[in-house]
Amino acid sequence: MTALSSILNQLHTVTTGPIRGSHKIYSSPKDFPDMAVPFREIPLAASSGEAPVRVYDTSGPYTDPDITINITKGLTPLRSSWLKKRQFQNETSPRMVKPEDNSFVSEDQLIPACPAPHTVLTGEGAKLITQYEFAKAGLITEEMIYVAHRENLGRAQTGAVTRNGEGIPSFITPEFVRDEIAAGRAIIPANINHPELEPVIIGKNFLVKINANIGNSAITSSVADEIDKMVWAIRWGADTIMDLSTGRNIHNIRDWLIRNAPVPVGTVPLYQALEKVEGDPFRLTWELFRDTLIEQAEQGVDYFTIHAGVRLHHVPLTAKRVTGIVSRGGSIMASWCLHHHRESFLYEHFDEICDIMRRYDVSFSLGDGLRPGSIADANDEAQFAELETLGELTTVAHERGCQVMIEGPGHVPMDKIKYNMEKQQKECGEAPFYTLGPLTTDIAPGYDHITSAIGAAMIGWFGTAMLCYVTPKEHLGLPDRHDVKVGVITYRIAAHAADLAKGHPSAKLRDDALSRARFDFRWEDQFHLALDPDTAYAYHDETLPKEKHKTV
Amino acid sequence: MTALSSILNQLHTVTTGPIRGSHKIYSSPKDFPDMAVPFREIPLAASSGEAPVRVYDTSGPYTDPDITINITKGLTPLRSSWLKKRQFQNETSPRMVKPEDNSFVSEDQLIPACPAPHTVLTGEGAKLITQYEFAKAGLITEEMIYVAHRENLGRAQTGAVTRNGEGIPSFITPEFVRDEIAAGRAIIPANINHPELEPVIIGKNFLVKINANIGNSAITSSVADEIDKMVWAIRWGADTIMDLSTGRNIHNIRDWLIRNAPVPVGTVPLYQALEKVEGDPFRLTWELFRDTLIEQAEQGVDYFTIHAGVRLHHVPLTAKRVTGIVSRGGSIMASWCLHHHRESFLYEHFDEICDIMRRYDVSFSLGDGLRPGSIADANDEAQFAELETLGELTTVAHERGCQVMIEGPGHVPMDKIKYNMEKQQKECGEAPFYTLGPLTTDIAPGYDHITSAIGAAMIGWFGTAMLCYVTPKEHLGLPDRHDVKVGVITYRIAAHAADLAKGHPSAKLRDDALSRARFDFRWEDQFHLALDPDTAYAYHDETLPKEKHKTV
């Protein structure tokens, strides 16, 4: 076993400390003095006479100099007191870790589990478990109050709430949050076993969110690398992260990640299930998959990508495609269906999957296993046949009390993007859409963060609730630290451009503050208000290095 | 005077040689065996059984290993034989270079003019001078034949030409080109004094073009740097370049640039005029400006940005803006108008400007001096008042035989982009729109190539004919070689995404070829078909350096 001390020695790269030119603040919603919602505040030059600018903050305690980070202890479980009141029970017989959970790694290569304490909760016996169930019952949870305050950037309500048709209201109330969740239009991915979470809401009537994928692989892998990437991704603005690990030590690395993650963590349980059968998709079974769901749910994963929409009869629809099936999950399930000539076990056992996920309030991210992998295949029969199945599954999952979002493409030319959004909303009863890009051309490997940011900004404007980032290494290799940052900043741009176009009441405040700073030549203010102050500062420094150029 | 030899010593950085994985080819239009239109051809792996992919090529002779580049001799004047037939005359008394043309630079700092031979032509006396006049007269010029073949990527016509409503036809005939130019919907910027030019067409029914700005400044300046940036920008896909120099030696550096430029060169004559009055806008006069127009027209500049739409009564409309007037030309003219409390001399002498520009077929790029510099100012009264004036001037310029395009914003949120396009088309009689971005948010200095590529791709889809690139250094500093490349590739992405969305018949061929290569794991083919093969190759190498990873 790798010694704990050696892991800690590797962890010098986890980044802490405030983002340049800003500091962490906490703000409490009206009537909830004990609830501390985090923001970043950017003070401006005294000459401006302007108040500090408050911005949304995904970075967690890592940017708070008053909090000592010790990853062996994990983050403070801020939701514990909320969860205590909800009739959940301590799981008396939690699932034991099995050798296959860490891909049968040998003892000397085994990374130890994170020693942070973790009591497994189960919703078994509780009447209401998920945020969806509370919302449907007319009950407002602490998570709903928290996200309402967060979406308002901590602003207090002044005057009546106005709303332009179906647009975003001028002020987000907890009751509005509840109503959107009850309608299935928004979700708060928040496993009851992830008490360290700072809740976040995903839905078309809220700020557009972004996800960053991280994860080790057979090629490069270390727990230090992965925690560092997570901390780095949320520092620059990732609202959620997905752990797509495929190598060894998956279970234990995930343990470290979740105990130290202030953001929702998503996974694709199928990837780990495949590791357990040593990469042979034909050996996958429902029992193995079921066990993996429980394993990850008990750890605290907040949402699962489930590729239950890839049905046996869909597979032939991809035969004439230029790029076939490009989703890893989709191609695993298609192989399994064809080999056994059987309906997908994910589709057949979907009710049971719902019941497991409900028990921990793991949200569904219904996977788009047949998403187009090229401009040529966009909006084709295979893609939309699967989407129709996802609509059917959304209804089932809602009936069984689960929160649901829907994954979307992929590669789509600009003129076909809007139809994707409209079709998804129609088929899936307005469940939140969560898209990868889409990439608007195939001809720029090395720049697919840009080809996809174009599509992401547009589809975000049209109503997509969360955008999965794409890094410059897409199609070419594994993203390093720099790629992760570029991907995150690029997607923050796309999300913010969408928020502006949707007329989100708080989005334009930051643009205006930065524009005033620019017009007044308040260079420091301009840098600090930027999504990436370090890069803005460095670029300015290259050609105009003198200090006076920043203040005049 | 700086010795010629020292300039040549600095020129080791001009990049020559083919782009990785491709070679230059030339193709002749039907019935024109002497006309050699350049393309790049990318051969694919024999295993694919596919024909080489032919792509549009802006790079000029620099990527042709069979041509020896000698920048003191300039490029081969391929248009000379075409121009010879058009009744133009050799200017018997060309304007003499004056000390102010190079900003009164001292003898020891003077960069010599490019020794390449250059006979100044004038259209004086010729009945038809401009491409617009030929088109209106029903005459097809060699330039029109050339661009038609270029737009078709050298494809031969097969079957009847089909067209979907007002969309792009399945095949571009010279007659279609003539008709679009005659209608004022397209231009071929092609000064009769720039015979080295490989003609290019700019209009909404053609491939979307991109412009790269280069230019020395008071801070950094050398002729080697500027020629290198031009060669580098066109290597990666800039269709035109604008020389925005503001420092010393402007005249002579431009001389070097034009004699070595296979692409149209645009300028803002007002910038040089301001240098001649040592930066004091109040000292600008019509006579000085007029002299500068002739100076640059005789050198061969293909299009001039003329800020004649900034009228005295427009200036107060900007008073309540967050970012006032951000266009350099706009602010120079607004200062002049306010100081003298007079109507703009550009507006008052617009007829004369037309007559000068017609004489050399310099195209108008009517400047948007009041473009919004922030999201807050987008689509405001000042912006649109100027646009309406530009519409009025477009009519005048057409009446006087000139080619015209219109410059557009700037900073515009996504939801306000389409209206910009519609209003421009309506006000300016469908004259080609040429936009800077637009940037879709203000909060990402350091990444404005991306904030603007989102807007550029969208407005390109809506009908903008040319997109002016934005580099990562926008708002922060001067672009270096790397920034120029990133800006150009980013804008090629935006333009190509627009071409795909517009359904351009040849655009999707490259996406499909690359997608097939991707699906087949033909890595080398994937790299070579990419907009930037070097970066794709390098990124793949970082994580999977072994050769076998590129062929399996």
Side-chain angles (χ1 to χ4, degrees):
Chain A
M1 188 185 288
T2 311
L4 200 57
S5 62
S6 105
I7 290 181
L8 292 175
N9 284 339
Q10 292 175 61
L11 281 168
H12 61 280
T13 49
V14 170
T15 310
T16 56
I19 291 171
R20 184 196 282 258
S22 68
H23 54 259
K24 195 102 175 177
I25 60 155
Y26 298 91
S27 164
S28 300
K30 195 163 169 287
D31 305 328
F32 292 86
D34 294 340
M35 193 180 280
V37 182
F39 299 98
R40 272 201 310 130
E41 205 165 68
I42 304 163
L44 303 182
S47 66
S48 72
E50 293 189 27
V53 175
R54 191 181 291 178
V55 298
Y56 197 99
D57 178 34
T58 57
S59 63
Y62 299 96
T63 50
D64 185 343
D66 296 336
I67 294 177
T68 306
I69 297 294
N70 179 340
I71 63 150
T72 62
K73 295 191 174 165
L75 304 180
T76 303
L78 66 91
R79 289 173 69 216
S80 289
S81 61
W82 312 345
L83 295 164
K84 235 173 229 168
K85 298 181 292 183
R86 293 181 197 166
Q87 299 180 280
F88 303 142
Q89 297 174 17
N90 291 350
E91 177 61 74
T92 48
S93 54
R95 180 183 175 284
M96 300 298 290
V97 178
K98 302 173 187 174
E100 70 243 40
D101 297 357
N102 287 304
S103 307
F104 307 102
V105 65
S106 59
E107 190 68 12
D108 61 319
Q109 297 288 317
L110 181 69
I111 290 170
C114 178
H118 180 57
T119 309
V120 176
L121 294 181
T122 169
E124 210 84 64
K127 272 191 194 153
L128 303 172
I129 305 172
T130 70
Q131 299 289 326
Y132 181 72
E133 289 174 314
F134 280 101
K136 289 290 266 190
L139 297 173
I140 292 174
T141 61
E142 286 82 356
E143 286 84 353
M144 298 176 198
I145 295 163
Y146 187 101
V147 301
H149 198 60
R150 208 171 184 188
E151 292 284 316
N152 289 323
L153 300 186
R155 291 174 301 145
Q157 186 174 347
T158 53
V161 176
T162 57
R163 193 176 185 195
N164 190 358
E166 295 201 336
I168 299 165
S170 60
F171 185 79
I172 305 294
T173 62
E175 172 56 22
F176 179 76
V177 170
R178 188 205 60 72
D179 195 54
E180 290 289 297
I181 293 172
R185 274 195 296 271
I187 65 172
I188 299 178
N191 187 324
I192 61 175
N193 287 309
H194 189 192
E196 303 88 350
L197 178 72
E198 297 175 351
V200 50
I201 189 158
I202 299 168
K204 69 177 172 183
N205 288 319
F206 301 96
L207 290 161
V208 176
K209 305 304 184 295
I210 68 169
N211 171 70
N213 292 333
I214 58 170
N216 65 330
S217 79
I219 297 172
T220 62
S221 142
S222 100
V223 68
D225 283 355
E226 291 315 307
I227 296 193
D228 177 42
K229 270 189 206 162
M230 186 262 291
V231 171
W232 189 240
I234 65 177
R235 180 179 182 84
W236 298 113
D239 293 285
T240 82
I241 58 148
M242 287 195 80
D243 175 15
L244 302 184
S245 295
T246 56
R248 294 170 184 173
N249 288 301
I250 293 190
H251 180 97
N252 286 359
I253 292 179
R254 191 166 51 232
D255 203 48
W256 284 90
L257 273 177
I258 297 176
R259 297 287 74 80
N260 288 286
V263 297
V265 175
T267 61
V268 186
L270 193 62
Y271 292 180
Q272 189 181 6
L274 192 69
E275 294 293 328
K276 294 180 181 178
V277 292
E278 292 161 298
D280 178 359
F282 308 152
R283 286 169 53 205
L284 287 169
T285 63
W286 159 242
E287 290 69 26
L288 182 87
F289 185 77
R290 183 182 178 282
D291 189 49
T292 306
L293 292 182
I294 294 169
E295 171 192 351
Q296 298 197 7
E298 287 191 352
Q299 285 187 301
V301 174
D302 299 289
Y303 63 91
F304 287 157
T305 295
I306 304 286
H307 293 95
V310 182
R311 297 190 58 186
L312 176 61
H313 69 271
H314 292 153
V315 182
L317 300 177
T318 64
K320 285 183 188 159
R321 280 182 157 185
V322 169
T323 46
I325 300 176
V326 298
S327 149
R328 185 154 184 264
S331 90
I332 293 167
M333 289 313 300
S335 303
W336 189 92
C337 291
L338 288 182
H339 179 78
H340 296 289
H341 203 74
R342 277 189 55 187
E343 186 56 270
S344 152
F345 61 82
L346 298 176
Y347 183 81
E348 292 204 320
H349 293 273
F350 193 72
D351 286 0
E352 287 171 78
I353 295 175
C354 291
D355 295 345
I356 294 167
M357 289 172 66
R358 171 180 173 266
R359 197 153 72 224
Y360 309 94
D361 197 5
V362 180
S363 297
F364 273 98
S365 185
L366 287 172
D368 57 336
L370 302 183
R371 69 167 178 268
S374 58
I375 292 297
D377 295 341
N379 292 22
D380 75 350
E381 196 185 354
Q383 183 194 338
F384 286 148
E386 181 189 32
L387 183 56
E388 287 158 21
T389 302
L390 297 185
E392 171 200 328
L393 298 175
T394 300
T395 306
V396 174
H398 280 158
E399 281 168 359
R400 301 184 93 87
C402 296
Q403 302 193 87
V404 185
M405 62 181 169
I406 311 290
E407 294 184 11
H411 294 235
V412 184
M414 282 191 287
D415 57 314
K416 291 184 176 171
I417 290 176
K418 196 165 196 179
Y419 185 72
N420 272 273
M421 189 71 223
E422 291 168 351
K423 172 118 181 134
Q424 185 273 339
Q425 289 285 287
K426 176 173 158 282
E427 298 294 338
C428 304
E430 300 188 274
F433 206 18
Y434 166 30
T435 62
L436 177 73
L439 286 71
T440 54
T441 166
D442 303 328
I443 67 167
Y447 298 81
D448 277 329
H449 58 308
I450 299 176
T451 66
S452 67
I454 295 167
M458 289 175 70
I459 206 162
W461 172 28
F462 298 150
T464 288
M466 185 155 77
L467 307 169
C468 182
Y469 88 164
V470 172
T471 77
K473 292 277 168 61
E474 183 77 12
H475 296 120
L476 296 171
L478 298 169
D480 61 19
R481 185 178 163 88
H482 178 69
D483 298 320
V484 167
K485 179 174 174 181
V486 170
V488 168
I489 298 282
T490 301
Y491 271 67
R492 279 259 66 94
I493 290 169
H496 188 80
D499 288 332
L500 282 176
K502 286 164 74 177
H504 193 284
S506 65
K508 191 161 163 285
L509 300 173
R510 188 169 177 180
D511 294 76
D512 291 352
L514 193 147
S515 295
R516 286 190 298 269
R518 185 171 278 161
F519 192 64
D520 293 347
F521 293 98
R522 283 182 276 119
W523 285 102
E524 295 277 357
D525 286 354
Q526 190 185 151
F527 302 151
H528 298 161
L529 287 162
L531 284 177
D532 177 2
D534 296 337
T535 296
Y537 198 95
Y539 282 3
H540 188 258
D541 243 30
E542 271 178 36
T543 40
L544 302 162
K546 288 187 184 148
E547 201 50 41
K548 75 181 170 93
H549 283 121
K550 294 194 185 64
T551 49
V552 297
Chain B
M1 188 183 287
T2 310
L4 200 56
S5 62
S6 104
I7 290 180
L8 292 176
N9 285 337
Q10 293 173 62
L11 281 169
H12 61 279
T13 50
V14 171
T15 309
T16 56
I19 291 171
R20 183 196 283 259
S22 69
H23 53 259
K24 195 104 179 176
I25 60 155
Y26 298 91
S27 165
S28 300
K30 193 163 171 289
D31 305 328
F32 293 86
D34 294 341
M35 193 180 281
V37 182
F39 299 97
R40 272 201 309 132
E41 206 165 67
I42 304 164
L44 303 182
S47 65
S48 72
E50 295 189 26
V53 175
R54 191 181 289 180
V55 298
Y56 197 99
D57 179 33
T58 58
S59 64
Y62 298 96
T63 50
D64 186 342
D66 296 335
I67 294 177
T68 305
I69 297 294
N70 179 341
I71 63 150
T72 62
K73 294 191 173 165
L75 303 180
T76 304
L78 66 92
R79 292 173 66 216
S80 290
S81 61
W82 312 344
L83 295 163
K84 232 172 231 166
K85 300 181 292 185
R86 294 181 195 165
Q87 300 180 280
F88 303 142
Q89 297 174 18
N90 291 351
E91 177 61 74
T92 48
S93 55
R95 180 184 174 284
M96 300 298 290
V97 178
K98 302 173 186 175
E100 68 243 41
D101 297 356
N102 287 303
S103 308
F104 308 104
V105 65
S106 59
E107 190 69 13
D108 61 319
Q109 297 289 317
L110 182 68
I111 290 170
C114 178
H118 179 57
T119 308
V120 175
L121 295 182
T122 170
E124 210 85 63
K127 271 191 194 153
L128 303 171
I129 305 170
T130 70
Q131 297 291 325
Y132 180 73
E133 289 174 315
F134 280 101
K136 289 290 264 190
L139 297 172
I140 291 173
T141 63
E142 286 82 355
E143 286 84 354
M144 299 176 198
I145 295 162
Y146 187 100
V147 300
H149 197 63
R150 208 171 184 188
E151 293 284 317
N152 289 323
L153 300 186
R155 290 174 301 144
Q157 185 174 349
T158 52
V161 177
T162 57
R163 192 175 185 197
N164 189 358
E166 295 201 337
I168 299 165
S170 60
F171 185 81
I172 305 294
T173 63
E175 171 56 21
F176 179 75
V177 170
R178 187 206 60 72
D179 194 54
E180 290 290 295
I181 294 172
R185 273 196 297 271
I187 65 173
I188 298 177
N191 187 324
I192 61 174
N193 287 309
H194 188 190
E196 303 87 351
L197 177 73
E198 297 174 352
V200 51
I201 188 156
I202 299 168
K204 67 177 173 182
N205 288 319
F206 301 96
L207 289 162
V208 176
K209 305 303 186 294
I210 69 168
N211 170 68
N213 292 333
I214 59 170
N216 64 332
S217 79
I219 298 173
T220 61
S221 143
S222 99
V223 69
D225 281 354
E226 292 314 307
I227 295 193
D228 176 41
K229 271 188 206 161
M230 184 262 290
V231 171
W232 189 239
I234 64 176
R235 179 177 182 84
W236 298 113
D239 292 285
T240 82
I241 58 149
M242 286 195 79
D243 175 15
L244 304 183
S245 295
T246 56
R248 296 169 182 171
N249 288 302
I250 293 189
H251 180 97
N252 286 359
I253 291 179
R254 192 168 48 235
D255 203 48
W256 284 89
L257 273 178
I258 298 175
R259 296 288 73 78
N260 288 285
V263 298
V265 175
T267 61
V268 186
L270 193 62
Y271 292 180
Q272 188 181 7
L274 192 69
E275 295 290 328
K276 293 179 181 178
V277 291
E278 291 161 300
D280 178 359
F282 308 152
R283 286 169 53 204
L284 287 169
T285 63
W286 160 242
E287 290 70 26
L288 182 86
F289 185 79
R290 183 182 178 285
D291 189 49
T292 306
L293 291 182
I294 294 168
E295 170 192 351
Q296 298 197 8
E298 287 191 353
Q299 284 187 301
V301 174
D302 300 287
Y303 62 92
F304 286 158
T305 295
I306 303 286
H307 294 96
V310 181
R311 297 190 58 185
L312 177 60
H313 69 272
H314 292 153
V315 183
L317 300 178
T318 64
K320 285 184 190 161
R321 280 182 157 185
V322 169
T323 45
I325 300 176
V326 297
S327 147
R328 184 154 186 265
S331 92
I332 293 166
M333 289 313 300
S335 303
W336 189 93
C337 290
L338 288 181
H339 179 79
H340 295 290
H341 203 76
R342 277 190 54 187
E343 187 56 271
S344 152
F345 61 82
L346 299 176
Y347 184 81
E348 292 202 322
H349 293 273
F350 193 72
D351 286 1
E352 286 171 80
I353 295 174
C354 291
D355 295 345
I356 293 166
M357 288 172 66
R358 171 182 174 267
R359 197 153 71 225
Y360 309 94
D361 197 5
V362 180
S363 297
F364 273 99
S365 184
L366 287 172
D368 56 337
L370 302 182
R371 70 166 177 266
S374 57
I375 292 296
D377 296 340
N379 291 23
D380 75 349
E381 196 184 352
Q383 183 195 337
F384 287 146
E386 182 189 32
L387 184 56
E388 287 157 22
T389 303
L390 297 185
E392 171 199 328
L393 298 174
T394 301
T395 306
V396 174
H398 279 158
E399 281 168 1
R400 301 183 93 88
C402 296
Q403 302 193 87
V404 185
M405 63 180 167
I406 311 290
E407 294 184 11
H411 293 237
V412 185
M414 282 191 286
D415 57 313
K416 293 184 176 172
I417 290 176
K418 195 164 197 180
Y419 185 73
N420 271 273
M421 189 72 224
E422 291 168 351
K423 172 121 181 130
Q424 185 273 338
Q425 289 286 288
K426 177 175 159 279
E427 298 294 339
C428 303
E430 299 188 274
F433 205 19
Y434 165 31
T435 63
L436 176 73
L439 286 70
T440 54
T441 167
D442 303 330
I443 68 167
Y447 299 81
D448 278 329
H449 58 308
I450 299 176
T451 66
S452 67
I454 295 167
M458 290 176 69
I459 206 162
W461 172 28
F462 298 149
T464 288
M466 185 155 76
L467 307 168
C468 181
Y469 90 162
V470 172
T471 77
K473 292 278 170 60
E474 182 78 11
H475 296 120
L476 296 172
L478 298 169
D480 61 20
R481 184 177 163 89
H482 177 69
D483 298 320
V484 167
K485 178 174 175 183
V486 170
V488 168
I489 298 282
T490 301
Y491 271 67
R492 279 261 65 92
I493 289 169
H496 188 79
D499 288 332
L500 282 176
K502 286 164 74 177
H504 194 286
S506 65
K508 194 164 162 284
L509 301 174
R510 187 168 176 182
D511 294 76
D512 292 351
L514 193 146
S515 295
R516 286 191 297 270
R518 185 170 279 160
F519 192 63
D520 293 346
F521 293 98
R522 283 182 275 119
W523 285 102
E524 296 277 356
D525 287 355
Q526 189 185 153
F527 303 150
H528 298 161
L529 287 162
L531 284 178
D532 177 3
D534 296 337
T535 295
Y537 199 94
Y539 281 3
H540 188 259
D541 244 29
E542 272 180 34
T543 40
L544 301 163
K546 291 189 182 146
E547 201 52 39
K548 74 181 172 96
H549 284 120
K550 293 194 186 62
T551 48
V552 296

